[in-house]
Amino acid sequence: MDFAALECMSCHRRYSTDRAQYRCLACGELLDVVYDFPVKDPEELKTRWQQRRLSDDPIDVSGVWRYRELIPFYRDTSNIVTYPEGNTPLVDAPRSAAYAGLRRLQVKHQGFNPTGSFKDNGMTTGVTQARVLGRNAVACASTGNTSAAMAAYASRAGMLGIVLVPDGQIAFAKLSQSLEYGALTLQIGGDFDVAMRLVEEITADVGIYLLNSLNPFRLEGQKTIMVEMLRQRGWVVPDRVVVPGGNLGNSSAFGKALKELFDLGLIDRLPKITIVQARGADPLYQTITSSTPDHLVTVHAKTLATAIKVGEPVSWKKAKRAMEWTNGWVAEVGEQEIADAKAIIGQDGIGCEPASATALAGIKQLVENGTDEEVERDEDVVAILTGHVLKDPDYTVRYHLGELFAEYVTETSVISKSEPLNSTFGNKPVHVEGTRDAILKVIYEEAARRGITIA
Ligand SMILES: *Cc1c(COP(=O)(O)O)cnc(C)c1O
């Protein structure tokens, strides 16, 4: 093998990384990037990564490329397109922990990336590979965050970014990013699954590089989320990593990362990967709990958590593999549970977008009444928050005002207002007369309600 190759996840045929290719030519399955890793001494490598944090070289500053020994496909560092990305916080979330019934919970917040989601971790490697291949145009279908990230990285690299988004079904803030970063933004009639099929058709046999998570180079960058998390924990492996699942690229990347780290001797055990889907967009859950878990059950996806509104997830087999490697599980949670969990993450002063909150909702469910899978109160759990709280302010404000409807569809078009959600942890703005006395009265009442003495 050259330093890196593409390998079919099913029949293990190998292909060169010099060609744009997304599926096995023999069996049509997804590809992995595989390496002859340049790793001799795991402890020395950990020290080297730690030392790079003192460096100002952009590829050391990046929270993806700092770990480049684990993603050595780029041939030459001059090909690397970095913002920089990664370097996201790992923080304690005590209110969220108590809400879920855990003693302690850490969240790794991928929303603190340059365009506000973990898609940046994957886009830096995807666009770098586009540059290795000499491509000038890149394309993706998106529920919003992939397009925001790709638009930014394509422009940074001087490439044309082409984005296919479902008309009126992505959060407004995400659409605004795609426009602002200069991508050609195509609004497609139909949902994400339709846009995904179209973009595969469009990019076949033309010089446009496809940058959905179908592309294995995307997943290589997303692997480093696990590496960074482990480094932040001093390489103490958690019992469990909980991650929202949509098109299932991220959970797939986490599985590959943990397996490689284990095989290379950087960790001595594997955390269980627990994937959480929204109940109206739960094809993996349906599949795993069916009598034929080797055949994908597709669904017509429906959820307000638009980032995971996917009915035919491209990477489901890799996600299933990640579950098998790590003894993991998949759960599904309802719209009310997602909305309330999101508000609790907000009360920790952290915040996230709706899709991210499925992680906390899923933990709570598995602590309280896990049947097939149970989370223990004492478990060491890390939840991955996938996107920033400002990604979907419309949802957040509606929740707090008590105007969120499971059937209220988009920012640009109201399809119907039915299935109202409870504003369980709502924090309504208070209308108050503009006088000192009136304002202070409200303040003292609220302080008393919260048991806080204004000293
Ligand atoms: C893309 C995305 C997801 C889903 O990730 P997959 O890799 O498609 O499973 C979840 N949350 C947010 C915020 C996202 O942008």
Side-chain angles (χ1 to χ4, degrees):
M1 164 162 79
D2 204 359
F3 56 96
L6 292 169
E7 184 181 285
C8 173
M9 70 172 289
S10 171
C11 73
H12 302 288
R13 266 192 189 71
R14 285 200 174 174
Y15 304 92
S16 162
T17 59
D18 290 345
R19 290 186 34 193
Q21 193 180 327
Y22 318 104
R23 291 184 185 276
C24 178
L25 299 179
C27 72
E29 265 315 333
L30 298 179
L31 304 172
D32 286 308
V33 188
V34 295
Y35 309 97
D36 196 0
F37 282 108
V39 176
K40 303 273 175 303
D41 178 349
E43 293 311 311
E44 186 276 329
L45 194 54
K46 290 177 186 173
T47 309
R48 199 187 311 169
W49 290 340
Q50 195 71 24
Q51 282 167 348
R52 282 183 187 153
R53 299 187 70 217
L54 298 172
S55 160
D56 284 321
D57 185 336
I59 63 171
D60 291 339
V61 172
S62 164
V64 170
W65 297 101
R66 182 177 304 140
Y67 311 104
R68 53 192 174 272
E69 286 80 0
L70 297 182
I71 49 173
F73 67 84
Y74 49 88
R75 288 191 184 270
D76 190 301
T77 54
S78 66
N79 287 316
I80 291 176
V81 182
T82 176
Y83 205 117
E85 50 289 312
N87 296 306
T88 62
L90 177 73
V91 290
D92 267 312
R95 287 184 189 81
S96 300
Y99 176 72
L102 290 179
R103 263 187 233 290
R104 185 183 175 203
L105 175 66
Q106 287 185 307
V107 300
K108 174 122 180 93
H109 207 324
Q110 293 307 113
F112 288 78
N113 260 299
T115 78
S117 83
F118 73 81
K119 301 303 196 300
D120 294 334
N121 297 71
M123 217 43 87
T124 184
T125 45
V127 170
T128 293
Q129 176 63 6
R131 185 177 266 177
V132 170
L133 296 172
R135 293 302 174 88
N136 298 317
V138 290
C140 69
S142 179
T143 57
N145 283 332
T146 302
S147 50
M150 197 196 73
Y153 280 84
S155 286
R156 301 288 305 148
M159 298 173 189
L160 171 64
I162 306 154
V163 158
L164 275 72
V165 291
D167 203 358
Q169 293 183 39
I170 73 170
F172 224 45
K174 302 177 187 178
L175 178 62
S176 80
Q177 287 180 289
S178 175
L179 301 176
E180 189 84 352
Y181 299 140
L184 172 62
T185 305
L186 307 172
Q187 294 188 301
I188 303 296
D191 60 11
F192 171 80
D193 298 299
V194 171
M196 187 64 227
R197 279 198 291 274
L198 277 169
V199 80
E200 260 199 271
E201 279 174 37
I202 289 163
T203 52
D205 306 320
V206 297
I208 305 172
Y209 195 50
L210 176 59
L211 278 179
N212 279 97
S213 52
L214 168 71
N215 184 321
F217 292 95
R218 278 268 313 275
L219 302 194
E220 289 306 292
Q222 290 169 213
K223 280 188 337 192
T224 62
I225 298 167
M226 287 296 99
V227 186
E228 184 174 84
M229 178 272 291
L230 287 161
R231 184 190 58 69
Q232 286 167 315
R233 290 172 50 97
W235 296 95
V236 174
V237 179
D239 296 319
R240 190 182 297 270
V241 172
V242 185
V243 58
N247 215 12
L248 298 172
N250 215 22
S251 38
S252 300
F254 289 4
K256 186 169 189 278
L258 294 166
K259 175 89 165 45
E260 288 172 352
L261 290 168
F262 182 82
D263 290 345
L264 289 168
L266 280 97
I267 52 176
D268 56 11
R269 65 188 190 101
L270 295 170
K272 294 176 182 171
I273 293 180
T274 306
I275 303 166
V276 189
Q277 299 197 297
R279 187 155 296 138
D282 62 347
L284 184 67
Y285 177 81
Q286 294 287 345
T287 302
I288 296 292
T289 54
S290 78
S291 53
T292 53
D294 289 328
H295 294 278
L296 179 67
V297 179
T298 63
V299 305
H300 184 74
K302 180 175 156 282
T303 171
L304 294 178
T306 48
I308 50 172
K309 192 174 172 209
V310 180
E312 299 174 35
V314 163
S315 295
W316 74 275
K317 280 191 181 162
K318 285 186 177 176
K320 186 163 169 279
R321 182 180 70 176
M323 287 171 56
E324 285 158 6
W325 277 340
T326 68
N327 192 22
W329 186 243
V330 56
E332 48 140 46
V333 290
E335 296 296 307
Q336 184 69 53
E337 287 72 38
I338 296 171
D340 290 340
K342 178 176 171 310
I344 296 292
I345 295 164
Q347 286 184 8
D348 261 319
I350 297 172
C352 63
E353 70 164 279
S356 312
T358 57
L360 180 62
I363 296 167
K364 181 175 165 66
Q365 184 195 85
L366 294 179
V367 170
E368 282 173 1
N369 52 19
T371 45
D372 298 305
E373 176 72 357
E374 209 176 324
V375 176
E376 305 285 340
R377 186 173 155 65
D378 290 322
E379 268 188 43
D380 183 359
V381 182
V382 176
I384 307 298
L385 299 183
T386 44
H388 199 277
V389 67
L390 293 178
K391 284 284 193 173
D392 197 348
D394 184 79
Y395 179 107
T396 305
V397 173
R398 283 182 189 285
Y399 177 86
H400 289 290
L401 294 179
E403 293 174 6
L404 193 58
F405 298 87
E407 276 291 333
Y408 176 93
V409 176
T410 69
E411 296 73 13
T412 45
S413 59
V414 179
I415 292 184
S416 79
K417 283 189 177 182
S418 60
E419 300 180 42
L421 297 178
N422 293 327
S423 176
T424 322
F425 305 105
N427 181 28
K428 271 200 182 132
V430 181
H431 293 280
V432 58
E433 189 194 330
T435 66
R436 183 174 190 272
D437 284 353
I439 292 170
L440 281 178
K441 181 166 177 287
V442 172
I443 291 171
Y444 278 96
E445 278 169 7
E446 179 67 11
R449 202 180 62 78
R450 296 192 191 193
I452 289 174
T453 314
I454 299 179

